[in-house]
Amino acid sequence: MDFNNNSNQQDAINSFQQVRRQTLALTEGLSAEDMVVQSMPDASPLKWHLAHTSWFFEHFLLQPFCENYSQFNDDYSYLFNSYYDAIGPRHARPARGLLTRPPLQDILAYRQHIEQHMAALLQRQLPGVAELLTIGLHHEMQHQELMLTDLLHLLSANPLAPAMQQAPAGQHACEKHAPPLQMLCHEGGLLQIGATDQGFSYDCEKPRHPYHLQPFKLASRPVTNGEWQQFIDDGGYQNPLLWLSDGWHCCQQQQWQAPLYWQQQQQQWLSFTVNGLQPVNLSAPVCHISYYEADAYARWAGKRLPREQEWEVIAAAQPDAMADANFLEQHIWRPTACASQPGFQKLFGDVWEWTQSPYSGYPGFNAAQGELAEYNGKFMANQFVLRGGSCASPRQQLRNSYRNFFHPQQRWQFSGLRLAEDQ
């Protein structure tokens, strides 16, 4: 749904409530203990996500637009601010797992408090609210994906390898074989890159601008687990000639031998998934790899990672690319094998695709003004762009111009790769 084109205030309220319900639904079947623990500094407890996404609406909408609004708890601005330095001091990110208080029941009451006040605010249709509502809903959808990836990392640290959900009956029996990988040509040229003015987009996706691409080839599908196993068997993790210098240092320091969550038992590769520990599906896209690993694999394969502009022009030319994509709404939450069909496959959903493009501003980029200027622009250093979304991404969050970004060593997201090469 395009939140910028709501026909009336009820549409806005329905959109708000739908996103909020989707967030809470991700916690079904979880205990309070599941939602308070933090497994690493990059991840956050689910209880914190529930509170932070409520604080976002409280700070950016309720406080500015509602006269005489009283904060639910004055301490929450300190506890649940994420990275907005202009707003004030905040609790350290690596220590979010220490917040056993306030208890979960208080956080759930906080969410209800925010939802009641937001419903009243949206009834008034005040100028400026619609744009901030749209940002807030897309912000919460980003956190829905983080909730899944953070919980997966947390449960992977449990020696019992507990499942988030049960695997469908006969899941492995019906797995498809991945179609042969093809390198498909594009003639390049002077092309338009970036978001248009229609529909929602973040500031980092603009302005739309001309970009000249040399002729290139892009793989018809992402790299699979089976192909990645060949890289492992060929000594890819032991060959420094395949790696960037920083990547090799990271590989050695972290003792990487396979993607995150892979382990070998009785000469078989298993992977920890939302369904618990499962045999690696050789036909599904490889995921939970860093930029460094993706770059090393591309070099091993005699290819390279795509530029983000190459990915975007291909995706923009595929009008039905999202038709059968595996997003959060499918409730599978693990990559699935490609179907045998011509053309490009799985450009959206299943796995985020690393590109070789550093995350920086486009020509003429202007960050959002005010406190929201910290939303994207402040992260434009030392990170690389990923495209396409994953099996944990809400569908409404994605579009051709969407730019995700992570540090090159990070692996806990559903991140994979698609190969490219020059013609």
Side-chain angles (χ1 to χ4, degrees):
M1 177 179 292
D2 184 347
F3 299 119
N4 277 337
N5 292 315
N6 289 320
S7 59
N8 52 52
Q9 71 267 30
Q10 191 58 49
D11 289 338
I13 294 170
N14 291 343
S15 298
F16 174 76
Q17 291 175 341
Q18 186 276 327
V19 170
R20 298 286 285 182
R21 285 195 300 267
Q22 185 164 272
T23 300
L24 207 57
L26 297 177
T27 68
E28 292 179 2
L30 300 179
S31 67
E33 291 85 355
D34 289 328
M35 289 191 272
V36 73
V37 181
Q38 181 177 17
S39 56
M40 65 168 176
D42 284 339
S44 297
L46 266 63
K47 186 176 78 172
W48 186 92
H49 285 293
L50 294 176
H52 168 71
T53 49
S54 298
W55 169 85
F56 190 96
F57 287 109
E58 182 174 58
H59 181 83
F60 290 107
L61 283 126
L62 294 179
Q63 289 182 268
F65 290 97
C66 296
E67 292 184 16
N68 303 318
Y69 174 78
S70 296
Q71 288 181 264
F72 182 83
N73 186 313
D74 292 343
D75 293 330
Y76 284 12
S77 291
Y78 177 81
L79 293 179
F80 303 123
N81 177 5
S82 53
Y83 51 70
Y84 296 93
D85 293 306
I87 291 175
R90 60 194 185 279
H91 184 68
R93 177 174 180 172
R96 289 172 182 170
L98 300 179
L99 296 176
T100 58
R101 306 287 178 89
L104 177 61
Q105 63 186 23
D106 286 11
I107 300 305
L108 296 177
Y110 180 39
R111 286 184 68 83
Q112 292 180 346
H113 170 87
I114 296 302
E115 288 162 12
Q116 292 169 0
H117 283 273
M118 281 295 299
L121 172 62
L122 295 177
Q123 290 281 0
R124 298 166 59 193
Q125 292 187 290
L126 297 176
V129 167
E131 181 179 0
L132 288 171
L133 172 67
T134 303
I135 294 174
L137 294 181
H138 280 266
H139 167 263
E140 182 143 348
M141 285 187 280
Q142 289 178 315
H143 278 272
Q144 290 169 359
E145 178 164 8
L146 288 170
M147 287 172 68
L148 286 174
T149 54
D150 291 357
L151 180 60
L152 181 65
H153 190 273
L154 171 65
L155 296 180
S156 75
N158 189 314
L160 300 180
M164 291 169 56
Q165 61 182 19
Q166 294 302 311
Q171 172 178 289
H172 298 292
C174 63
E175 287 173 351
K176 305 171 184 175
H177 293 290
L181 187 145
Q182 296 178 299
M183 300 301 295
L184 304 178
C185 299
H186 191 282
E187 69 276 11
L190 189 63
L191 302 158
Q192 293 294 314
I193 297 297
T196 67
D197 292 331
Q198 297 184 357
F200 173 76
S201 59
Y202 288 116
D203 55 359
C204 64
E205 301 171 50
K206 298 179 179 178
R208 191 163 174 81
H209 60 282
Y211 190 95
H212 188 270
L213 285 173
Q214 296 293 327
F216 67 94
K217 295 180 181 180
L218 190 67
S220 57
R221 58 163 174 76
V223 171
T224 66
N225 288 317
E227 290 163 338
W228 196 271
Q229 186 172 322
Q230 295 174 27
F231 171 70
I232 295 173
D233 293 343
D234 197 45
Y237 281 93
Q238 289 77 46
N239 185 353
L241 298 179
L242 298 174
W243 295 74
L244 296 168
S245 178
D246 286 348
W248 180 246
H249 174 74
C250 192
C251 177
Q252 296 300 295
Q253 184 181 53
Q254 301 296 323
Q255 298 184 333
W256 292 341
Q257 300 292 327
L260 183 65
Y261 305 138
W262 282 35
Q263 56 180 273
Q264 202 167 25
Q265 293 184 11
Q266 298 178 347
Q267 298 183 331
Q268 181 185 23
W269 282 109
L270 305 177
S271 177
F272 184 78
T273 73
V274 295
N275 309 128
L277 200 59
Q278 299 286 336
V280 168
N281 180 353
L282 300 180
S283 300
V286 67
C287 66
H288 302 302
I289 57 169
S290 66
Y291 173 87
Y292 292 138
E293 291 166 283
D295 180 80
Y297 178 93
R299 193 170 290 109
W300 172 80
K303 312 294 184 186
R304 61 171 173 82
L305 295 179
R307 300 175 179 89
E308 65 168 317
Q309 295 86 357
E310 294 170 338
W311 188 96
E312 184 172 324
V313 299
I314 294 295
Q318 318 299 316
D320 298 324
M322 291 194 190
D324 59 351
N326 177 22
F327 289 122
L328 175 144
E329 291 83 358
Q330 274 64 53
H331 293 270
I332 299 174
W333 302 337
R334 57 183 294 185
T336 56
C338 295
S340 295
Q341 60 188 42
F344 292 101
Q345 300 173 55
K346 292 191 177 289
L347 285 163
F348 290 94
D350 282 289
V351 292
W352 287 101
E353 298 179 11
W354 284 107
T355 74
Q356 63 172 266
S357 300
Y359 179 56
S360 61
Y362 288 153
F365 167 74
N366 288 308
Q369 299 303 302
E371 291 172 340
L372 284 175
E374 298 187 84
Y375 197 86
N376 284 315
K378 71 184 292 181
F379 298 107
M380 290 181 172
N382 306 321
Q383 307 203 60
F384 286 87
V385 173
L386 302 95
R387 294 294 194 118
S390 80
C391 54
S393 304
R395 179 170 181 159
Q396 296 179 53
Q397 183 185 343
L398 274 301
R399 52 200 164 270
N400 299 330
S401 59
Y402 189 94
R403 309 171 77 199
N404 200 358
F405 50 91
F406 283 104
H407 292 285
Q409 77 279 6
Q410 291 176 311
R411 309 205 292 168
W412 94 109
Q413 292 298 311
F414 287 95
S415 49
L417 79 155
R418 184 184 300 262
L419 297 172
E421 63 181 351
D422 301 319
Q423 283 200 49

